[in-house]
Structures are given as structure tokens and as C-alpha cells.
Amino acid sequence: MDNNNNSIENQPARKKKPTNLLLIPCLLITTSMLLLYLSQNKIILISTTTTTISESDYNHRLGDHSCLGRYIYIHDLPSRFNKDILQDCESISRPKDKTSMCKYIENSGLGPQMSDGDTTDSKYSRSWYATNQFMLEVIFHEKMKRYECLTRNSLLASAIYVPYYAGLDLRRSMQWSCNVSERDAAGKEMFKWIKKQPQWKGLSGKDHFLVTGRISKDFVRHSEDNSSWGTNLLLLPESQNLSFLTIERSPKRHNEFAIPYPTYFHPTSAVEIRQWQDKIKLTNRTVLFSFVGAQRPSINYKGLVRTKVIQQCKNSSKTCRFLDCDVRANICDDPISLMKLLESSVFCLQPPGDSLTRRSVFDSILAGCIPVFFSQGSAYKQYIWHIPNNNSEYSVYIPFKELRKGEKNKIEEILSRIPNEKVVGMRENVIRLVPKIVYTKSNRHKPDGETLEDAFDIAVKEW
Ligand SMILES: *[C@@H]1O[C@H](CO)[C@@H](O)[C@H](O)[C@H]1NC(C)=O
Ligand SMILES: *[C@@H]1O[C@H](CO)[C@@H](O)[C@H](O)[C@H]1NC(C)=O
Ligand SMILES: *[C@@H]1O[C@H](CO)[C@@H](O)[C@H](O)[C@H]1NC(C)=O
Ligand SMILES: *[C@@H]1O[C@H](CO)[C@@H](O)[C@H](O)[C@H]1NC(C)=O
Ligand SMILES: *[C@@H]1O[C@H](CO)[C@@H](O)[C@H](O)[C@H]1NC(C)=O
Ligand SMILES: *[C@@H]1O[C@H](CO)[C@@H](O)[C@H](O)[C@H]1NC(C)=O
């Protein structure tokens, strides 16, 4: 699976706009006629399964023509591709999981709320949840159901969302150690269903997109050997036409786009985000740098980087905190303890792990901790919609060869030499990124009428 580890280093990230915008000019007239029709008849939009948009809300939206060119249609997939997977949530828990996945489905996929039982620290409001990264598929779907420019008329739509929980489905089939054909079956069936829909015929799926909370390599299994990892979803002919929004893209494929991993913070308002930003500006950062993670077998490039990083952190024991998740798993699994360490650190080391990207990158941005990268593929070549390309303004990059030839305290040396004014400026830029990388709670209110784009809004806009 990992034979093309380093390829991500050499590929420029390319962003390809789908061609669907071509449709928009010829639809303008139809759109305004439809709006008139709708407002006279007070038709209420109903999205796929549960959400009903209230009439007043809807009328408000009608007055707002900003939806032109932004309409999205949600495919009404058979429930076996999404809802049923959640209903049978034990099937997506794996023997290694400490907590059943059923817990993480709570609160529209945000997970259990960090209520008073978990923390007496008032800093963590009721908008903090023990969110599991794989739930991004559910979080995105739930947010999409409340998206302000949904349409039931796919002719109006400039994008078509396919709410198939491909990553959770993969988890389900891995648990039973299914043979490859069983594992691949749902993806094939899903496309069989979709290809029969009139929406596919228009642009052969070029206006369709699917969101997954797993890295895209998990869906690129070339071998038919039952023991090899993943499904072949992305190798199917239909997958060449639709787009994938994933937490880690493969730079070789033009139709994959990276979006942030979910964090633990799901605020309901812009005010709440501001308050959080103000708080983390003031925290006392007593630790120069820290690393939260576990060892990886150092057989490949990614493992080697991680081993070096851990050695160096241990050798800089006065300035570096190493939270070893092999030994102290209970702390690594506790969002509040984890956030506290990140909030007390100036820099957070982000070496690759099983893959080049890590959820921790986003947790550390949320904590105002400046990320330190060892691979261009860990963020710079991934999240081009959400993170600016002036990398050195918000992060530190230490190429692996510096570590390999460097002395045993190389990381400490580099980080401690950065002047304080520079550090303060970088941290301000990190904290500025917070709104762009959080997934806000779906029905957020905007008390001051301002629009603050979150990770979801940016993904929908940029795609
Ligand atoms: C995989 O398993 C299914 C059901 O157990 C069986 O019908 C199918 O023949 C198997 N496929 C292969 C390639 O062995
Ligand atoms: C995969 O496993 C099935 C049994 O589940 C077996 O029949 C089949 O021969 C295996 N295929 C390969 C390629 O190993
Ligand atoms: C993908 O799009 C091309 C046109 O660009 C079309 O010829 C092809 O049939 C489409 N593939 C599928 C599986 O629909
Ligand atoms: C940071 O530390 C200083 C001095 O130890 C203390 O006065 C201040 O209250 C602390 N600030 C916070 C936000 O904890
Ligand atoms: C970095 O880029 C962002 C987005 O393009 C911009 O808002 C910001 O001002 C830039 N920072 C600096 C210091 O140039
Ligand atoms: C860290 O220190 C130990 C003992 O002082 C040494 O064996 C090891 O090589 C050092 N690690 C690095 C990365 O230099």
C-alpha cells in the first residue's frame, strides 16, 4: 500500500474546478421563475431525510439571491449507504477501539458532549465534543442537510452531493475480514444506483462529489488478495468522473481535494469563535515544543522521521514534552487533557505517522500552537483551500535531511533560535486560521448577521 510514500513530495497540488459552472448562465431565467413560483405557493424545501427548513427561514433565503450558482442537490441514496451503517453502529466498531463507535454517532456525528462531568474548566464551553475523525462523513452530511442553498431541483444545482459513508462502510467490512469482493460490493452497488439517476446523465458525474473521513489511499486497493488493505472504490470507472473531498488526498489524482480533519470544537456562533481565539492568545506557554503520538515501526520514511522526532524530544527533556500515546493512551484519548498540553506549548511537532497527514495538525492550530512539519505533504500540499500558502508565516518546516545529519538537539536548536517577535507573529497567524478549520454546529446562529466561513463553507465554496 505504501509503495508511493514520497510521491506526494514531488507533485504540485492541482486544483481543478468542475465544469458544472458552464450550466449556470442558461439556468438564470429558470431560477427566477422558480423562485417566484415557490414564493407564491409557499412550498417548503425538504432535504433528504430528516431536515425540514422552516417557512420563515426559507422566505428569508428567498430574499437572498446569493444562492444563484451555489445550489446543491443531495442524492437521496438508499439508506443502506448511510443511515443503516449508523444504525448498525457496532458493526463499525473494531476490536481495537476502546470506545464503541455508537458513542461517537451522538449529536449528529459530533460525539459525546464534554459536559460538566468531564471538566470543571469553564474554558471549555458546551461546544466541545469527543469527536472521532471518522465521523467527518456524518458531520458533513448533517451540515449539508442544513446548507442554505439546497435544492430539490437538480437542474438548478451546480453540485450534486453523494452522501455515501465510504469510510465507515470500509470499517464495517474490515471487521469481518471480508474477502475483497464483499468489501468492494457496496461501492459498486452505490455507483450502479447512481448511474441510473437522471442527475448522472447530464455531466457523467463530473458535478458529483463525495466526502470521506479516511485518507484516499484506503480506497485504492490494487491487489485482489484478501489480506491487502482497503477497497477499490477510487479505482472504479465512475470514480474517475466524480470528486472526492478527503482528509488526505493523493496528489496523483486531480479529482481529490483535501479538507480539514474534525477537531473537538464545534462552536455555534462567530462570537464563540472570537472568545476562544482571545483565550488562546493569552495562555501561558511554558513548554517550548511538544509531541503527542505513538512510535511507529521505522521501516519506511514516515516511521524513520517519527522515530527521530521522538528521540530528539526525549533528548531535549527540559524544553520538549513527549506525550507517548502507547503508554498514556487514556490522556491521548481525552480531548481536554490533550488540548491543555497543546495550549501550553509554543510549537507542536507534526511528523508523519501511518500517513503523511495527522488530525493533530488541526488540534494544534485550534490550540494556537505553531505546527512544525517534516514533510511538504503533511499540510502544504494538502489543504490549499483552508490554509494559506505563505507557509513560513504560520509554521516551521524542518526537512528530514536536516534531522538525519543534524546533532541530537537539532529541533530544539532550530526552534529556540526563532526570535520572539517572529514567534508571536506566527502564533497570531495560526490563531487567525481557527475559524477556517473548525466545523461549526449545523444550526449556528449569526447574531451579528456576519458571515464567518467555517471548514465546511470553504469546502463547498471552493469546490
Ligand atoms: C467472497 O465471499 C462471498 C460470500 O462469502 C462468496 O460468495 C464469494 O464467492 C467470495 N469471493 C471470492 C473471490 O472468493
Ligand atoms: C478470499 O477469501 C475467500 C474466502 O472468504 C476465498 O474463497 C478466496 O479464494 C480468497 N481469494 C484470494 C485471492 O485469496
Ligand atoms: C466519465 O465522463 C466521460 C465524459 O467526460 C464519459 O465519456 C464517461 O462515460 C464517464 N464515465 C462514466 C463511468 O460515466
Ligand atoms: C500566566 O502566568 C502569569 C504569571 O505566572 C499569571 O499571572 C497569569 O495569570 C497567567 N495567565 C493565565 C491566562 O493563566
Ligand atoms: C498569508 O496569507 C493569508 C491568506 O492569503 C493572508 O491573509 C495573510 O495576510 C498572509 N500573511 C502574511 C504575513 O503575509
Ligand atoms: C539522544 O541521547 C542518547 C543518549 O544521550 C543517544 O544515545 C541518542 O543517540 C540521542 N538521540 C539522537 C537523535 O541524537
Side-chain angles (χ1 to χ4, degrees):
M1 279 315 296
D2 281 336
N3 51 1
N4 50 2
N5 282 345
N6 297 337
S7 58
I8 203 162
E9 307 289 326
N10 311 321
Q11 299 274 333
R14 268 172 49 210
K15 182 174 145 190
K16 183 173 172 267
K17 274 277 178 194
T19 47
N20 55 47
L21 291 175
L22 294 175
L23 275 181
I24 290 161
C26 47
L27 284 175
L28 284 180
I29 296 169
T30 336
T31 310
S32 42
M33 281 164 58
L34 183 92
L35 291 177
L36 268 177
Y37 171 74
L38 287 179
S39 55
Q40 277 163 13
N41 291 280
K42 298 230 187 289
I43 288 176
I44 294 168
L45 272 189
I46 299 178
S47 78
T48 40
T49 44
T50 52
T51 320
T52 309
I53 296 167
S54 78
E55 206 169 308
S56 62
D57 213 7
Y58 186 61
N59 285 340
H60 169 76
R61 283 164 193 184
L62 275 180
D64 176 6
H65 289 270
S66 64
C67 279
L68 288 183
R70 301 202 298 132
Y71 284 106
I72 292 183
Y73 174 87
I74 306 182
H75 259 310
D76 197 1
L77 284 186
S79 60
R80 65 178 181 280
F81 297 114
N82 44 47
K83 237 166 56 184
D84 292 356
I85 299 177
L86 301 185
Q87 231 133 50
D88 187 16
C89 56
E90 285 303 342
S91 74
I92 51 173
S93 300
R94 303 185 64 202
K96 270 197 323 202
D97 292 342
K98 279 168 234 115
T99 309
S100 154
M101 291 299 273
C102 300
K103 284 304 277 178
Y104 295 119
I105 289 165
E106 289 174 17
N107 296 310
S108 308
L110 302 179
Q113 197 169 35
M114 300 272 83
S115 60
D116 309 327
D118 299 302
T119 174
T120 49
D121 192 334
S122 59
K123 194 165 70 176
Y124 302 98
S125 65
R126 296 186 65 78
S127 296
W128 290 80
Y129 298 80
T131 304
N132 181 288
Q133 73 171 69
F134 297 118
M135 288 299 151
L136 181 59
E137 292 162 6
V138 182
I139 295 170
F140 209 97
H141 189 192
E142 290 297 322
K143 284 179 71 78
M144 190 59 88
K145 287 179 189 171
R146 292 167 183 79
Y147 174 60
E148 70 257 32
C149 301
L150 280 186
T151 176
R152 293 291 285 163
N153 177 358
S154 59
L155 287 175
L156 280 182
S158 36
I160 311 236
Y161 169 56
V162 181
Y164 168 45
Y165 301 161
L168 295 177
D169 196 27
L170 166 64
R171 247 177 169 262
R172 180 155 75 156
S173 56
M174 291 314 285
Q175 191 192 31
W176 304 328
S177 56
C178 296
N179 68 38
V180 290
S181 40
E182 285 175 286
R183 224 185 289 162
D184 296 343
K188 248 165 93 179
E189 263 176 60
M190 188 274 295
F191 278 133
K192 201 169 140 199
W193 183 90
I194 268 194
K195 274 173 71 176
K196 286 198 200 124
Q197 310 306 310
Q199 289 79 16
W200 183 271
K201 305 221 162 73
L203 288 166
S204 309
K206 299 262 167 64
D207 50 357
H208 285 45
F209 72 101
L210 189 150
V211 176
T212 172
R214 298 195 73 103
I215 66 172
S216 69
K217 271 188 190 169
D218 287 342
F219 307 103
V220 197
R221 194 204 64 246
H222 287 280
S223 156
E224 290 304 301
D225 187 336
N226 290 335
S227 64
S228 52
W229 176 254
T231 73
N232 69 351
L233 182 70
L234 292 187
L235 300 175
L236 298 174
E238 294 81 9
S239 290
Q240 312 321 307
N241 285 6
L242 55 65
S243 294
F244 288 86
L245 274 48
T246 158
I247 49 169
E248 181 178 321
R249 67 188 287 266
S250 157
K252 286 191 183 150
R253 281 187 298 273
H254 63 85
N255 57 341
E256 291 176 14
F257 306 92
I259 56 173
Y261 286 67
T263 65
Y264 302 113
F265 186 42
H266 305 285
T268 50
S269 68
V271 172
E272 208 183 343
I273 297 181
R274 285 267 151 61
Q275 284 169 345
W276 175 253
Q277 287 174 301
D278 290 343
K279 268 177 192 157
I280 51 171
K281 263 177 214 158
L282 298 176
T283 57
N284 282 330
R285 298 185 187 261
T286 49
V287 179
L288 179 63
F289 61 116
S290 62
F291 173 61
V292 179
Q295 295 268 7
R296 289 282 183 271
S298 46
I299 43 171
N300 57 24
Y301 157 80
K302 288 173 292 191
L304 281 174
V305 178
R306 190 169 275 218
T307 303
K308 272 279 183 201
V309 163
I310 291 174
Q311 276 173 0
Q312 295 222 356
C313 181
K314 283 178 167 168
N315 277 0
S316 302
S317 57
K318 288 213 177 67
T319 47
C320 186
R321 260 297 286 287
F322 170 38
L323 180 53
D324 185 347
C325 294
D326 276 336
V327 179
R328 311 193 63 191
N330 53 332
I331 298 187
C332 295
D333 290 341
D334 171 36
I336 306 291
S337 312
L338 196 68
M339 287 304 294
K340 284 200 165 136
L341 173 59
L342 303 179
E343 284 160 38
S344 64
S345 308
V346 180
F347 297 99
C348 290
L349 308 182
Q350 304 296 352
D354 295 326
S355 65
L356 287 172
T357 62
R358 308 180 74 207
R359 172 199 174 132
S360 176
V361 170
F362 298 96
D363 291 333
S364 71
I365 290 173
L366 181 61
C369 184
I370 300 163
V372 181
F373 295 114
F374 302 88
S375 165
Q376 295 275 322
S378 291
Y380 306 151
K381 296 196 171 177
Q382 294 283 342
Y383 310 102
I384 54 175
W385 293 342
H386 295 82
I387 295 184
N389 62 7
N390 42 17
N391 304 335
S392 61
E393 304 294 338
Y394 72 90
S395 69
V396 177
Y397 178 57
I398 303 179
F400 183 41
K401 62 177 191 298
E402 292 259 332
L403 278 192
R404 194 153 45 185
K405 69 172 162 56
E407 321 73 84
K408 63 179 182 184
N409 294 329
K410 189 70 186 175
I411 299 176
E412 181 181 3
E413 223 180 274
I414 293 173
L415 297 181
S416 58
R417 257 198 267 119
I418 303 175
N420 193 48
E421 317 82 80
K422 170 83 179 159
V423 170
V424 170
M426 285 166 97
R427 179 156 57 239
E428 275 171 10
N429 288 332
V430 168
I431 293 173
R432 263 187 217 119
L433 293 178
V434 168
K436 299 175 193 286
I437 60 109
V438 295
Y439 292 92
T440 59
K441 204 166 347 182
S442 302
N443 49 351
R444 72 190 200 265
H445 28 89
K446 298 170 183 165
D448 32 11
E450 73 185 309
T451 44
L452 205 146
E453 291 183 327
D454 75 346
F456 171 92
D457 296 326
I458 292 172
V460 165
K461 181 179 81 177
E462 292 291 330
W463 188 74

